[in-house]
């Protein structure tokens, strides 16, 4: 998710506003008289008492210049009132530097030879050595109270910006300033060239107080195709302000009420457009009090739209409050959206929406966004072509590079949901296509399985999920029609001996899942079980597409088989390696194997186990019967040995018919043998059948029909003959 790369613009603008709300509006600071002083008499229409072509007046304070006034024509005087025309300069000394004021005419009220008030009329212009300019139709200065009043319209300009307001009132003694509106400020230079600020009023209670823009305040960027007129730094422009600035534009009361009623119902639907005008709105904006300011606060239904880059979709936001801070010029700035904060953007994969009680954006010294933090109970929603993704956590943080999301971290009760499944944990880390979950036994439920481990790592680009540390996997039964199981079968079908209609559980220290090939690998000691059936091995690989399972390293299979009489007999199969093919339903144990039941065991180089696929019992409502896995036949190959009670047998091959509970030993390279120590009997022949349920040993192979020599020996007796 990208963040608004131009929040820095707002910060720059906030650094400029005090000049418009403080310097330009208090451009005449250093003058006097309070509002409580007597009002100066109006310009008299009576015959003046004196007249001169040039008028010069100077006043000092403690030996230092305070005022200097020059006019081209003094009309006359009456009752300590000096009437002037063509006021060339009224210089006022102030701590911030001298200010020179000019006007068409005016009058000066004196008291004991000192200026007590000055009233100026007609094209009143005030300029400072810093290039600041102030214009109004009239102005009134009271020296004793140190107040200035300009009925307006008031226009001002300073290097980089200009603007206008309706009425200016300032108390120079306290620093209180009020510029009634509508007020408009325009920026002509720098990153905010072409931006306009409108407000109902601009005020400041004192020189130690912040500048406040009130009403429905709007910061608006240049419209599409608009080119801002730039003034070179330090340059001057002698055109009148009305000539170079458009008439002020401001929302009416009805429009303001409509915006306030909308509140935080959500930003306008401008996600996906790339040509929108940038703007920020609030009911109230506070700046300063330091100059340049170190902070600004936007309050009341804050909303905005910013362009991240000319070729990228805009970023929109909404909140109850926006706070901007910059400890010092050149230091990193920070923006905080608070109160139902919302941030919307879009990337190549689709739109995204971040929401939290507080969203903070940090910038580097060059003004580029470097980090975003959202807390508490933050929610990130991404709309993709294949569905919606949701991330929820107590805290989220995002690292930004070149306007793009590079890494992210979510902490505290992390929950994720995608079209493929769900996941959760205490902490999640994101880097491009990779996601890692840890803390509080993270879990993920997707692709017909539930995986729980100490750490989970998912790579969507590679289609891989890795689980580490005490991995616990639940493979659900087939045919559930949910995230738990697809319609084309279950992983259970790939596991031997387990019924597909029941869940299977797998534990191991490490596991890897590949979604495209539907493969699963378990390492470090694996145990899979379903009720009384289990499989243990050092490693286990499942290839679901091929229907193959491969286990190796001290493989042990345990289960319960059922005889034709309904008796349940536990069995154990051990081998260094095991293969299973779903198509043939056959298990192959290799490299020295054993098959054990109660009272008997079969050992060989290789053991093959054939399973049945018939119904095991009725399924749950709305599903097909659960398919059972029953052992039908066990075949032993190579160096076969049989132990059953006191009987010991050897053969090249053996076949165990589980339903009949009989074992047939077959001699291919040499005769099969059975020794019964308890009975003192010895059998030898091409095929011998041992009934494990009784004491019978048949010297004819089970339906072999072969001819061969059969030898039977008993204590004190030996018999041999042809087998027919």
């Amino acid at each position: 998710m990208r963040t608004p790369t131009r929040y820095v613009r707002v910060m720059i603008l906030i650094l400029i506003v005090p000049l418009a709300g403080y310097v330009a509006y208090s451009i005449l600071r250093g003058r006097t008289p309070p509002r409580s002083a007597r009002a100066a008499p109006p310009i008299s229409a009576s015959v003046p008492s004196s007249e001169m072509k040039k008028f010069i007046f100077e006043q000092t304070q403690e030996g230092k210049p305070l005022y200097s006034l020059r006019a081209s024509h003094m009309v006359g005087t009456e009752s300590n009132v000096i009437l002037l025309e063509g006021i060339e300069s009224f210089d006022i000394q102030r701590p911030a530097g001298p200010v020179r004021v000019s006007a068409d005419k005016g009058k000066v009220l004196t008291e004991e030879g000192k200026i007590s008030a000055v009233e100026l009329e007609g094209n009143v212009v005030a300029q400072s050595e810093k290039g600041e300019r102030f214009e109004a139709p009239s102005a009134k200065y009271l020296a004793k109270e140190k107040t200035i009043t300009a009925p307006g319209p008031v226009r001002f300009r300073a290097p980089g910006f200009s603007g206008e307001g309706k009425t200016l009132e300032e108390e120079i003694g306290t620093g209180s300033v009020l510029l009634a509106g509508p007020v408009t400020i325009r920026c002509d230079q720098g990153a905010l060239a072409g931006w306009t600020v409108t407000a109902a009023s601009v005020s400041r209670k004192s020189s130690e107080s912040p500048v406040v823009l009130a009403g429905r305040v709007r910061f608006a960027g240049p419209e599409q195709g608009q080119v801002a007129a730039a003034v070179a730094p330090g340059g001057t422009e002698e055109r009148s302000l009305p000539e170079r600035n458009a008439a002020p534009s401001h929302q009416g009361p009805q429009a303001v009420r409509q915006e306030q009623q909308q509140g935080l119902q959500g930003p306008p639907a401008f996600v996906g457009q790339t040509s929108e005008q940038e703007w920020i709105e609030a009911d109230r904006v506070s700046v300063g009090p330091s100059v340049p300011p170190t902070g600004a606060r936007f309050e009341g239904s804050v909303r905005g739209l910013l362009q991240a880059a000319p070729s990228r979709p805009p970023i929109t936001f909404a909140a109850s409050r926006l706070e901007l801070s910059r400890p010092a010029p050149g230091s990193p700035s920070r923006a905080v959206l608070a109160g139902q904060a919302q941030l919307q953007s879009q990337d190549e994969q689709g739109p995204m929406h971040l929401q939290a009680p507080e969203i903070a954006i940090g910038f580097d010294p060059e003004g580029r966004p470097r980090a975003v933090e959202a807390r508490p109970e933050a929610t990130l929603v991404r709309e993709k072509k294949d569905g919606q993704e949701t991330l929820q956590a107590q805290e989220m943080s995002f690292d930004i590079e070149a306007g793009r999301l590079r890494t992210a971290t979510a902490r505290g009760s992390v929950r994720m949901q995608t079209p493929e499944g769900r996941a959760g944990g205490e902490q999640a880390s994101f880097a491009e296509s990779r996601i890692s979950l840890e803390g509080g036994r993270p879990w993920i439920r997707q692709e017909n399985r539930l995986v729980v481990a100490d750490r989970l790592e998912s790579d969507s680009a590679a289609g891989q999920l890795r689980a580490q540390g005490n991995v616990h996997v639940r493979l659900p039964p087939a045919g559930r029609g949910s995230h738990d199981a697809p319609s084309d079968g279950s992983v259970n079908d790939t596991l031997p001996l387990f019924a597909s209609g029941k869940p299977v559980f797998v534990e191991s220290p490490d596991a890897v899942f590949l979604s495209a090939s539907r493969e699963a690998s378990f390492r470090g000691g694996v145990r899979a079980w379903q009720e009384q059936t289990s499989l243990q091995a050092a490693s286990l690989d499942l290839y679901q597409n091929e229907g193959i399972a491969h286990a190796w390293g001290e493989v042990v299979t345990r289960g319960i088989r059922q005889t034709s009489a309904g008796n349940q007999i536990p069995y154990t199969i051990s081998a260094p390696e095991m293969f299973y093919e779903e198509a043939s339903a056959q298990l192959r144990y290799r490299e020295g194997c054993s098959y054990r039941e109660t009272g008997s065991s079969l050992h060989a180089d290789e053991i093959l186990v054939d399973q049945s696929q018939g119904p095991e019992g009725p399924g749950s409502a709305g599903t097909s019967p659960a398919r059972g896995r029953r052992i039908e036949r066990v075949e032993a190959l190579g160096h076969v040995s049989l132990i059953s009670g006191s009987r010991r047998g050897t053969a090249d091959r053996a076949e165990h018919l589980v339903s009949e509970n009989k074992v047939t030993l077959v001699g291919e390279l040499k005769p099969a043998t059975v020794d019964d120590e308890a009975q003192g009997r010895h059998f030898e022949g091409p095929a011998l059948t041992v009934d494990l349920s009784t004491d019978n040993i048949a010297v004819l192979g089970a339906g072999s029909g072969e001819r061969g020599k059969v030898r039977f020996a008993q204590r004190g007796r030996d018999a041999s003959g042809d087998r027919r």
Side-chain angles (χ1 to χ4, degrees):
M1 185 199 74
R2 295 191 306 274
T3 54
T5 58
R6 293 195 181 181
Y7 269 118
V8 66
R9 289 185 169 187
V10 183
M11 197 62 199
I12 295 173
L13 183 58
I14 293 306
L15 299 178
I16 294 175
V17 168
L19 296 177
Y22 168 57
V23 177
Y25 306 150
S26 58
I27 200 169
L28 300 179
R29 71 186 302 174
R31 328 174 203 159
T32 349
R35 296 187 177 112
S36 60
R38 62 179 180 84
I43 297 176
S44 176
S46 60
V47 179
S49 59
S50 62
E51 182 178 356
M52 65 175 63
K53 291 294 183 183
K54 279 287 184 182
F55 177 81
I56 299 175
F57 179 89
E58 294 182 347
Q59 181 177 328
T60 61
Q61 185 177 20
E62 297 179 356
K64 298 180 180 180
L66 182 59
Y67 305 119
S68 175
L69 194 152
R70 295 174 182 269
S72 60
H73 186 198
M74 185 184 77
V75 178
T77 62
E78 180 182 349
S79 303
N80 297 325
V81 177
I82 303 173
L83 305 179
L84 302 173
E85 291 183 351
I87 299 175
E88 300 172 354
S89 64
F90 175 32
D91 295 338
I92 305 174
Q93 301 298 322
R94 58 174 188 163
V99 174
R100 174 162 291 184
V101 186
S102 62
D104 292 343
K105 61 182 179 179
K107 60 183 178 183
V108 179
L109 280 69
T110 62
E111 189 175 308
E112 297 178 357
K114 297 182 179 181
I115 291 178
S116 62
V118 177
E119 293 185 5
L120 305 174
E121 295 184 11
N123 295 318
V124 179
V125 178
Q127 298 186 81
S128 71
E129 294 177 343
K130 297 179 180 179
E132 302 157 342
R133 183 180 177 92
F134 164 92
E135 295 181 9
S138 63
K140 182 177 182 180
Y141 169 64
L142 302 178
K144 185 177 181 181
E145 289 81 357
K146 297 181 181 180
T147 60
I148 300 172
T149 303
V154 179
R155 296 180 176 89
F156 53 85
R157 185 174 73 239
F161 68 93
S162 61
E164 57 267 333
K166 186 175 181 180
T167 302
L168 172 67
E169 296 180 6
E170 178 180 1
E171 294 181 4
I172 295 179
T174 62
S176 173
V177 178
L178 172 62
L179 181 62
V183 178
T184 301
I185 304 171
R186 301 180 186 86
C187 300
D188 303 322
Q189 296 179 7
L192 286 169
W195 278 68
T196 302
V197 183
T198 57
S201 66
V202 178
S203 63
R204 185 184 64 186
K205 291 184 178 180
S206 69
S207 58
E208 302 300 324
S209 301
V211 175
V212 177
L213 290 81
R216 188 60 183 170
V217 185
R218 182 179 178 89
F219 290 69
E223 296 181 0
Q224 185 181 6
Q226 177 180 340
V227 179
V231 179
T236 60
E237 191 174 342
E238 297 301 329
R239 289 182 294 163
S240 65
L241 287 170
E243 200 176 299
R244 70 184 296 274
N245 291 321
S249 60
H250 190 74
Q251 294 176 310
Q254 183 177 2
V256 172
R257 283 195 299 269
Q258 290 175 349
E259 291 285 353
Q260 292 173 342
Q261 289 171 359
Q262 289 178 1
L264 292 175
Q265 298 302 315
F270 32 55
V271 171
Q273 303 172 10
T274 57
S275 59
E276 288 281 356
Q277 180 186 27
E278 296 180 302
W279 55 270
I280 302 174
E281 286 188 353
D283 294 336
R284 172 187 170 96
V285 180
S286 303
V287 184
S290 60
V291 178
T294 59
R297 172 179 287 196
F298 293 68
E299 297 177 283
S301 187
V302 181
R303 304 172 69 190
L305 179 149
L306 295 172
Q307 292 286 352
S311 60
R312 297 180 184 175
I315 296 166
T316 65
F317 61 89
S320 300
R321 185 174 70 255
L322 167 62
E323 295 187 9
L324 301 171
S325 61
R326 192 166 199 170
S331 65
S333 56
R334 180 178 174 87
V336 178
L337 292 162
Q340 300 181 26
Q342 303 175 35
L343 199 64
Q344 291 190 13
S345 184
Q346 183 170 344
D347 60 11
E348 295 78 4
Q349 299 183 9
M352 62 189 76
H353 182 186
L354 177 64
Q355 184 172 358
E358 180 179 290
I359 299 176
I361 303 99
F363 303 87
D364 61 20
E366 286 73 33
R368 294 186 295 265
R370 58 178 176 80
V372 174
E373 297 178 352
R375 67 172 70 87
E377 298 180 0
T379 301
L380 175 65
V381 178
R382 296 181 60 128
E383 300 289 346
K384 292 187 176 182
K385 294 180 180 179
D386 57 350
Q388 186 182 87
E389 294 183 353
T390 303
L391 172 65
Q392 295 178 310
Q394 288 298 311
E395 296 182 4
M396 296 183 194
S397 60
F398 307 88
D399 294 328
I400 311 299
E401 182 180 335
R404 295 179 180 271
L405 172 67
R406 293 304 180 195
T407 61
T409 302
R411 293 172 292 272
S413 302
V414 180
R415 295 293 181 268
M416 294 184 292
Q417 184 163 353
T418 68
E420 293 78 23
R422 303 181 297 276
E426 284 303 307
Q427 180 169 317
S429 300
F430 305 82
E432 297 181 347
S433 63
R434 298 183 300 276
I435 302 174
S436 65
L437 285 164
E438 55 188 341
R441 295 285 292 165
W443 56 271
I444 183 168
R445 186 189 298 272
Q446 68 176 165
E447 296 182 357
N448 59 308
R449 63 174 173 262
L450 171 65
V451 182
V452 183
D454 294 338
R455 179 181 176 86
L456 297 173
E457 295 180 0
S458 175
D459 189 336
S460 59
Q464 175 178 295
L465 170 66
R466 181 171 185 180
Q468 295 174 293
N470 193 18
V471 181
H472 183 98
V473 182
R474 180 183 183 271
L475 303 176
R480 289 297 185 262
S482 65
H483 287 303
D484 293 342
S487 58
D488 58 347
S490 168
V491 178
N492 295 14
D493 294 334
T494 313
L495 284 168
L497 304 173
F498 300 120
S500 61
K502 300 178 182 179
V504 175
F505 302 92
V506 185
E507 290 182 343
S508 70
D510 195 300
V512 176
F513 303 88
L514 302 178
S515 58
S517 57
R518 300 172 73 191
E519 298 178 17
S521 300
F522 300 88
R523 298 291 184 269
V526 188
R527 178 175 177 260
W529 75 95
Q530 180 190 78
E531 297 180 344
Q532 294 177 306
T533 304
S534 66
L535 170 67
Q536 289 179 257
S539 302
L540 172 64
D541 286 342
L542 302 177
Y543 304 91
Q544 191 173 354
N545 287 343
E546 294 80 7
I548 294 176
H550 179 207
W552 68 95
E554 299 182 2
V555 180
V556 178
T557 303
R558 294 183 176 90
I560 303 291
R561 72 173 181 84
Q562 189 168 347
T563 66
S564 58
N567 299 323
Q568 292 187 338
I569 300 176
Y571 66 86
T572 301
I573 308 174
S574 303
E577 188 174 19
M578 182 214 75
F579 287 95
Y580 171 71
E581 292 180 349
E582 181 184 351
S584 63
Q586 185 179 75
L587 291 87
R588 182 183 295 270
Y589 294 84
R590 300 176 54 190
E591 300 181 7
C593 319
S594 66
Y595 176 91
R596 292 182 172 87
E597 293 182 355
T598 303
S600 64
S601 63
L602 192 63
H603 304 267
D605 295 339
E606 188 171 340
I607 290 180
L608 307 181
V609 178
D610 294 330
Q611 302 179 99
S612 67
Q613 294 283 10
E616 186 177 75
S620 58
T623 67
S624 60
R627 286 185 291 169
R629 299 291 180 87
R630 295 183 180 181
I631 294 179
E632 285 190 336
R633 175 176 172 271
V634 177
E635 184 177 5
L637 303 174
H639 301 93
V640 178
S641 64
L642 171 66
I643 301 175
S644 177
S646 62
R647 294 168 291 189
R648 302 290 186 269
T650 62
D652 296 316
R653 180 170 63 87
E655 181 181 8
H656 179 22
L657 298 178
V658 174
S659 60
E660 298 179 11
N661 203 25
K662 294 179 180 180
V663 176
T664 298
L665 302 174
V666 179
E668 294 178 341
L669 300 179
K670 58 182 180 180
T673 66
V674 173
D675 290 299
D676 188 345
E677 295 182 359
Q679 300 293 330
R681 297 181 298 175
H682 172 79
F683 298 86
E684 182 178 307
L688 303 174
T689 299
V690 180
D691 190 335
L692 302 179
S693 302
T694 66
D695 197 26
N696 296 330
I697 299 176
V699 295
L700 295 177
S704 65
E706 297 180 357
R707 287 182 175 271
K709 290 288 186 181
V710 176
R711 182 171 180 273
F712 167 73
Q714 196 170 9
R715 290 176 187 157
R717 183 179 174 187
D718 189 355
S720 63
D722 292 331
R723 182 166 63 96
R724 298 185 182 274

